[in-house]
Amino acid sequence: METTETTEAFRGLESRASGRVHETADPTTVSDEERARGLDPTYDYDAVDPATLFDRSSAGPHAGVGHWRFDALLPFPASDALSAGEGSTPLVPTDRLADELDVDAVYVKDEGRNPTGTVLDRGMSVALTAVAGRAAAGGDVEPLACASPGNAGQSMAAYAGRADLRSYAFVPSRCAFSNKAMTNVHGGDMRVVGGRFPDAADAVDEQLETEYTNLNEFTTPYRHEGIKTVAFELVTDLGEAPDVVVVPTGTGEVIAGIYKGFRELARVGAIDSTPKVVAAQAAGCAPIAAAIERGRDAPEPWSTPDTICGELEIADPAGGTAAIEAVTESGGTAVSVEDDDILASAVAVAQNEVMETGVTGGAAPAAAWALAEDDFFEGDETVVLVNSDAGLKTPDVLRSHLMGQGI
């Protein structure tokens, strides 16, 4: 069963392993083996005019809003999008941070302003557009399911509700209360699983006694595809690519998606070169950073994950190889930072920059400060820190950090 109509430049789903392009937008028509090894939407890049990609002058009744305005390099047209206006998030200048890091400029890309407070809304919008198209064509797609530390489950519930589709989010017991509550508020079914994220992932097949549409990261080829529009917006707002982008990294989908966006912009001639991308991980669970430090192409599972940053506690990231590829190809690096530094950084940004940074987002400024101490910056860079989720996702964790300091 084919999905909704595709855009003019969309060629199909490319196998990460073999390079074969499957001329379809429906991953369920591709073999299990190819799907397991990863699929990536690909395009006729020669047919994409960068001027058209960034042109917003042709507004009409179906013109894209938010990140869907870049549908020239998305699989589906904006007119068919299942969207809540995700994207178009603020790029906030932070002069004080620039002075502290001793670089030309620092900006925070505040992804906490998305509909459910997370950068993952971008990917869920694209993924649910694909699924809703299959459903409209008569495909049997229900129920939808994913395992999640919290944010993806909440986002899936919201977009599935918009499409009138049943969804099941499997989350570990350590999941933030805000995610648990809002998953149900959005109409999603939530299963809380004892233990950590791998236990939640295992529970999906154990508890669902039916066929389901799997919306896990990299199982659907569209979650990281939506996230690449962060790169498109950065170039739109800055007029050029930044020099360094620091990305909180758990599953690997966010950093892989952002790097793909820059790589595509370079391929169509919109930018001269890609920025260095930096993976910011929690020291208590840093398989990607450890692999990069050891010069490996793929991470080894982290044996004893232990971080208060739930979205970063991914011991065996599905996008680990893609994340390492993004870092190494771009000339970037990976940094592991202690929980106390992550929490202190999130609080510092909130207290000094009129911005609420989630615990996950706090990993980006913490990593940037660590990079500055290691003389990573030359001094003339434009640096972007990605705040991947809203402060209201984990206010109890941030407040407990202050209480631990006697505040």
Side-chain angles (χ1 to χ4, degrees):
M1 181 66 63
E2 191 55 83
T3 64
T4 188
E5 178 184 352
T6 57
T7 52
E8 183 177 346
F10 178 75
R11 290 181 56 213
L13 299 174
E14 183 176 12
S15 167
R16 285 177 175 265
S18 68
R20 176 187 173 189
V21 176
H22 302 272
E23 296 181 357
T24 178
D26 183 356
T28 65
T29 64
V30 181
S31 70
D32 291 343
E33 181 181 0
E34 290 273 55
R35 288 207 311 271
R37 300 172 103 179
L39 299 171
D40 211 16
T42 190
Y43 304 84
D44 178 2
Y45 295 103
D46 292 335
V48 178
D49 180 352
T52 302
L53 179 65
F54 293 109
D55 181 18
R56 300 188 67 187
S57 63
S58 58
H62 299 300
V65 297
H67 74 154
W68 283 98
R69 70 184 188 271
F70 301 109
D71 66 352
L73 270 176
L74 287 172
F76 313 112
S79 57
D80 292 341
L82 183 67
S83 175
E86 57 290 317
S88 295
T89 55
L91 184 64
V92 183
T94 56
D95 295 340
R96 185 176 303 188
L97 274 172
D99 290 341
E100 292 176 358
L101 297 178
D102 195 22
V103 296
D104 270 0
V106 177
Y107 297 87
V108 175
K109 182 62 168 167
D110 191 3
E111 290 296 295
R113 312 282 187 97
N114 278 301
T116 76
T118 172
V119 65
L120 303 183
D121 288 340
R122 293 176 183 263
M124 281 297 177
S125 173
V126 180
L128 262 295
T129 295
V131 172
R134 283 166 44 206
D140 185 10
V141 302
E142 292 184 292
L144 318 182
C146 78
S148 163
N151 282 345
Q154 179 181 340
S155 180
M156 177 185 66
Y159 286 91
R162 181 72 170 271
D164 197 25
L165 296 171
R166 290 181 296 119
S167 67
Y168 290 82
F170 288 76
V171 301
S173 53
R174 293 161 57 92
C175 172
F177 173 75
S178 61
N179 291 137
K180 295 174 181 174
M182 293 308 297
T183 296
N184 286 150
V185 169
H186 283 299
D189 195 317
M190 182 183 56
R191 304 287 177 89
V192 179
V193 181
R196 300 173 187 265
F197 176 69
D199 301 295
D202 291 341
V204 180
D205 284 328
E206 294 171 359
Q207 294 189 24
L208 283 185
E209 299 178 355
T210 182
E211 294 293 320
Y212 62 91
T213 297
N214 190 329
L215 290 181
N216 280 353
E217 68 284 351
F218 294 100
T219 300
T220 168
Y222 295 122
R223 280 178 51 172
H224 66 284
E225 188 69 5
I227 289 169
K228 77 180 184 184
T229 58
V230 171
F232 298 172
E233 290 181 10
L234 290 178
V235 172
T236 300
D237 292 342
L238 294 172
E240 60 184 358
D243 298 296
V244 180
V245 182
V246 185
V247 185
T249 302
T251 65
E253 68 178 301
V254 178
I255 194 168
I258 291 174
Y259 177 64
K260 183 185 180 186
F262 284 122
R263 196 175 66 234
E264 289 186 338
L265 291 179
R267 189 162 179 180
V268 302
I271 57 176
D272 295 329
S273 60
T274 61
K276 297 176 181 178
V277 295
V278 176
Q281 293 209 282
C285 187
I288 293 168
I292 290 171
E293 182 180 353
R294 296 167 186 166
R296 294 177 177 169
D297 295 333
E300 295 181 356
W302 199 261
S303 58
T304 54
D306 185 18
T307 172
I308 201 168
C309 310
E311 293 291 317
L312 301 181
E313 196 179 71
I314 308 298
D316 190 11
T321 300
I324 293 169
E325 178 182 282
V327 169
T328 54
E329 285 188 4
S330 71
T333 189
V335 181
S336 59
V337 282
E338 299 292 339
D339 281 4
D340 283 347
D341 293 331
I342 293 173
L343 298 176
S345 297
V347 169
V349 171
Q351 293 182 347
N352 294 296
E353 301 294 350
V354 200
M355 189 185 314
E356 295 185 353
T357 302
V359 168
T360 306
W369 276 309
L371 290 172
E373 291 175 358
D374 289 342
D375 297 322
F376 177 82
F377 301 116
E378 295 181 3
D380 59 351
E381 294 95 340
T382 294
V383 180
V384 172
L385 311 178
V386 176
N387 175 32
S388 45
D389 64 10
L392 289 177
K393 293 281 190 178
T394 49
D396 53 335
V397 178
L398 297 174
R399 183 69 184 95
S400 294
H401 173 72
L402 294 177
M403 292 176 65
Q405 298 177 321
I407 299 174

